[in-house]
């Protein structure tokens, strides 16, 4: 029979009681200690462009309550550093919006958040934008069967980004599909995405070229 161990970890946020197998306990203590280190030493990461990838995934085996706690810690880091945050969100849009609303009330200003790999509809993208959250489209838009997300990109009026994530796709194919859906040429699309990128990260003006 596997032995379990009760441990009380004292953190700056108060005591945390953990009941886990010895191996998992060691990992959990290490992970929480690293989070504490990040919270207490934010100045070490002042040159970072963003915080992420963070988020909540309702399909993940990690309990939702634990994910929410860790997401709050990560979002607090981003807010305290005044950095944008990239978010992995699966069936947790309401939680993400609530978290941003809470942190907005605690800070004078909050940088933009971006939900990457967005596959939702236009209405959801608009709801997120009103909350200060952009969306980024990935390889899903190259699949003609993914009508919902393709329609979302074609009708979207708010800023967006493009990505491949870990799909192994060629970013040029993502751009080609996006240009077709947006009914514009690739150079125009690239200029739009570049402008959005500069706004998100407050980068100095640059003019990289897009080539196929």
């Amino acid at each position: 029979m596997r032995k379990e161990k009760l441990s009380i970890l004292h953190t700056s946020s108060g005591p945390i009681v953990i009941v886990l197998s010895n191996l998992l306990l060691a990992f959990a203590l290490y992970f929480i200690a690293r989070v504490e280190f990040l919270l207490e030493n934010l100045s070490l990461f002042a040159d970072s462009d963003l915080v992420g990838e963070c988020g909540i995934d309702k399909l993940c085996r990690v309990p939702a309550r634990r994910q929410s706690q860790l997401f709050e810690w990560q979002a607090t880091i981003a807010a305290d550093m005044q950095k944008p945050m990239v978010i992995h969100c699966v069936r947790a849009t309401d939680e993400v919006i609530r978290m941003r609303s809470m942190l907005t009330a605690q800070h004078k200003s909050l940088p933009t958040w971006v939900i990457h790999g967005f596959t939702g509809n236009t209405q959801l993208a608009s709801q997120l934008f009103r909350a200060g959250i952009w969306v980024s489209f990935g390889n899903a838009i190259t699949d003609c069967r993914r009508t919902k997300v393709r329609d979302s990109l074609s009708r979207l009026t708010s800023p967006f980004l493009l990505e491949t994530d870990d799909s192994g796709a060629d970013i040029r194919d993502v751009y080609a599909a996006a240009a077709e859906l947006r009914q514009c040429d690739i150079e125009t699309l690239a200029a739009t995405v570049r402008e959005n990128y500069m706004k998100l990260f407050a980068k100095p003006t640059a003019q990289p070229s897009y080539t196929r």
Side-chain angles (χ1 to χ4, degrees), residues 32-101:
I32 293 174
R34 296 301 296 172
V35 172
E36 287 289 302
F37 174 81
L38 290 174
L39 289 172
E40 295 169 2
N41 297 274
L42 296 183
S43 61
L44 296 177
F45 307 94
D47 293 334
S48 300
D49 284 332
L50 55 82
V51 174
E53 173 180 341
C54 312
I56 302 174
D57 187 336
K58 291 293 184 67
L59 298 182
C60 178
R61 294 175 61 184
V62 177
R65 183 176 180 181
R66 174 59 66 190
Q67 290 192 58
S68 295
Q69 181 183 36
L70 293 176
F71 180 56
E72 180 177 351
W73 284 354
Q74 293 161 335
T76 298
I77 290 174
D80 288 346
M81 294 177 67
Q82 285 293 291
K83 302 290 186 181
M85 184 163 69
V86 174
I87 298 173
H88 174 91
C89 178
V90 177
R91 300 183 182 179
T93 303
D94 290 343
E95 289 91 331
V96 169
I97 291 177
R98 280 198 297 270
M99 182 63 65
R100 183 170 177 89
S101 177

Side-chain angles (χ1 to χ4, degrees), residues 68-206:
S68 295
Q69 181 183 36
L70 293 176
F71 180 56
E72 180 177 351
W73 284 354
Q74 293 161 335
T76 298
I77 290 174
D80 288 346
M81 294 177 67
Q82 285 293 291
K83 302 290 186 181
M85 184 163 69
V86 174
I87 298 173
H88 174 91
C89 178
V90 177
R91 300 183 182 179
T93 303
D94 290 343
E95 289 91 331
V96 169
I97 291 177
R98 280 198 297 270
M99 182 63 65
R100 183 170 177 89
S101 177
M102 182 190 75
L103 289 174
T104 299
Q106 297 174 359
H107 294 76
K108 293 182 179 180
S109 63
L110 204 62
T112 300
W113 292 0
V114 179
I115 289 184
H116 90 93
F118 181 74
T119 57
N121 58 33
T122 309
Q123 290 73 25
L124 180 57
S126 298
Q127 179 187 5
L128 289 165
F129 179 68
R130 289 193 296 271
I133 305 170
W134 293 7
V135 296
S136 177
F137 296 90
N139 192 48
I141 64 171
T142 67
D143 187 344
C144 293
R145 296 169 297 180
R146 307 290 294 272
T147 55
K148 180 175 67 175
V149 66
R150 285 168 61 86
D151 179 68
S152 178
L153 177 57
S154 69
R155 299 170 56 189
L156 194 66
T157 58
S158 56
F160 64 90
L161 299 175
L162 297 174
E163 61 175 279
T164 60
D165 195 18
D166 61 353
S167 65
D170 189 325
I171 189 61
R172 293 172 295 183
D173 293 331
V174 176
Y175 267 78
E180 179 182 356
L181 292 169
R182 301 288 293 182
Q183 298 184 345
C184 65
D185 58 62
I186 290 180
E187 287 293 344
T188 299
L189 174 68
T192 298
V193 174
R194 180 168 60 244
E195 181 180 358
N196 293 340
Y197 171 84
M198 298 301 176
K199 290 179 180 178
L200 178 66
F201 295 105
K203 295 289 186 181
T205 302

Side-chain angles (χ1 to χ4, degrees), residues 4-20:
E4 292 186 337
K5 182 177 180 181
L6 172 64
S7 178
I8 300 178
L9 175 67
H10 295 277
T11 73
S12 61
S13 302
I16 298 176
V17 179
I18 305 172
V19 181
L20 287 171

